[in-house]
Amino acid sequence: MFAADRASQGLGIRLLSADDGAAELRMTVSPDMVNGHGTAHGGYLFLLADTAFACACNSHGPVTVAAGADISFVAPAREGDELTAVATERTRYGRSGIYDVSVLRDGEVIAEFRGRSRTVPRVEGTRA
């Protein structure tokens, strides 16, 4: 799934590992990701966490999409910061799941993300 994710790869996000219900990714905050306050735009932090979430919930095999997600920003990131997103499966039940993602800078939590997943049937003739 990550190999076909042009949006994440275009931002320089790197997949470090993915296993059953878990994933770890890394991204460096570029000058184009900084807002008018001189900090990383929250949308980029969300995107990094969402990509880790997607890798973790799709690690089981069936096509899985986000049913919803939210994020809490704890500390700012700045240009040049290398961020790591660590996704962990909390539970899967039926076609649904809950995943937590911590976004870290040098081991310090800067954001916490919770995603809710839904497994969907594969449709012939599509990638999903």
Side-chain angles (χ1 to χ4, degrees):
M1 187 225 52
F2 184 77
D5 185 345
R6 292 174 35 202
S8 296
Q9 291 183 20
L11 294 172
I13 295 175
R14 303 171 310 279
L15 176 63
L16 303 179
S17 65
D19 203 2
D20 286 343
E24 186 171 337
L25 290 85
R26 189 162 290 150
M27 176 183 83
T28 302
V29 178
S30 72
D32 292 337
M33 297 176 182
V34 176
N35 64 26
H37 297 293
T39 60
H41 190 290
Y44 290 108
L45 301 181
F46 188 97
L47 190 146
L48 173 62
D50 186 52
T51 302
F53 162 58
C55 289
C57 66
N58 278 280
S59 66
H60 296 289
V63 174
T64 306
V65 297
D70 60 90
I71 192 165
S72 296
F73 300 108
V74 178
R78 303 197 187 288
E79 181 181 336
D81 285 350
E82 187 166 70
L83 307 178
T84 303
V86 179
T88 306
E89 180 180 277
R90 293 299 174 210
T91 188
R92 282 191 313 153
Y93 51 99
R95 293 176 34 212
S96 300
I98 297 174
Y99 294 77
D100 288 337
V101 182
S102 294
V103 179
L104 309 154
R105 178 191 53 234
D106 297 325
E108 173 193 4
V109 173
I110 65 164
E112 287 288 346
F113 171 105
R114 173 155 280 189
R116 296 170 304 282
S117 68
R118 186 77 171 165
T119 301
V120 296
R122 181 175 289 278
V123 177
E124 291 300 317
T126 67
R127 289 184 178 182

